[in-house]
Amino acid sequence: MKTPETPAHVSVSLIQEPREEFAFVAKAVRAQGRRWTGQRRRVYGALVQAGDHVTAERLTSLLQGSEETVDTSTVYRTLEFFEEISLVEHVHVGHGSAQWKLRLPQGSHHHLHCERCGWTRPLSREEIGPFDQLLQVFGAARLSHHFALSCVCLQCAEKEETGSY
């Protein structure tokens, strides 16, 4: 089970203003003394449409064919700016590119990631609680959301044990 990708046929041009979240984002951008440009609007729209955990490269491919070309470097700069103003966050899952997602009002969550097959699963606050307790024993306050917790999933472990990998 891998994290699902957004289908290639999804059209980012379907996302149009005004939407409540777009108005909020535009206000946050302008509060930083920056302009709410068409490129920023399209990058944010692609992120909304793509759903949870998408690479900058995937966002760039979603934006191909839109009314104004947005290259990968612009997508990265826009995502980094959005992260500076707490609109998005990224996580490193496995050895691939960073994955970006919208910041949720309820806060971040951790991820479990299989090193073998790429399966990724979010972890709730309740599920991560025992890790936080273990960290406190060793004098640490909390886990970073920046990286996923690497593991070998049950299916891959079974395949390794039976030699069917």
Side-chain angles (χ1 to χ4, degrees):
M1 291 172 86
K2 292 191 181 234
T3 304
E5 286 283 335
T6 303
H9 67 278
V10 171
S11 173
V12 176
S13 63
L14 295 176
I15 299 175
Q16 299 174 357
E17 285 191 83
R19 289 180 72 171
E20 190 174 308
E21 65 230 58
F22 276 67
F24 171 80
V25 174
K27 185 176 179 181
V29 168
R30 289 181 182 124
Q32 298 297 311
R34 308 287 274 285
R35 294 183 316 131
W36 180 234
T37 64
Q39 288 183 330
R40 288 185 178 137
R41 184 173 51 251
R42 281 190 290 288
V43 170
Y44 188 80
L47 192 56
V48 168
Q49 189 133 10
D52 209 17
H53 304 99
V54 63
T55 64
E57 292 79 10
R58 181 70 181 135
L59 287 174
T60 302
S61 71
L62 287 171
L63 291 164
Q64 296 307 314
S66 63
E67 58 271 13
E68 182 182 337
T69 303
V70 181
D71 62 23
T72 305
S73 64
T74 300
V75 170
Y76 271 109
R77 281 192 309 273
T78 301
L79 290 170
E80 288 167 359
F81 170 62
F82 285 167
E83 188 170 42
E84 286 173 26
I85 61 174
S86 300
L87 294 173
V88 302
E89 59 191 1
H90 75 278
V91 64
H92 294 277
V93 179
H95 300 287
S97 298
Q99 295 184 7
W100 298 83
K101 68 183 196 75
L102 299 172
R103 274 187 79 124
L104 303 172
Q106 63 268 32
S108 300
H109 58 269
H110 294 280
H111 301 86
L112 207 53
H113 175 76
C114 178
E115 298 174 336
R116 306 285 189 269
C117 70
W119 168 82
T120 302
R121 178 188 181 283
L123 295 171
S124 69
R125 289 189 186 276
E126 294 77 27
E127 291 170 318
I128 207 72
F131 288 102
D132 286 336
Q133 292 170 2
L134 181 63
L135 287 173
Q136 289 175 6
V137 168
F138 294 104
R142 64 181 123 8
L143 286 173
S144 167
H145 294 278
H146 193 72
F147 295 98
L149 298 172
S150 293
C151 68
V152 175
C153 73
L154 293 174
Q155 290 82 8
C156 289
E158 186 177 301
K159 288 178 183 178
E160 287 175 356
E161 287 178 16
T162 61
S164 62
Y165 213 119

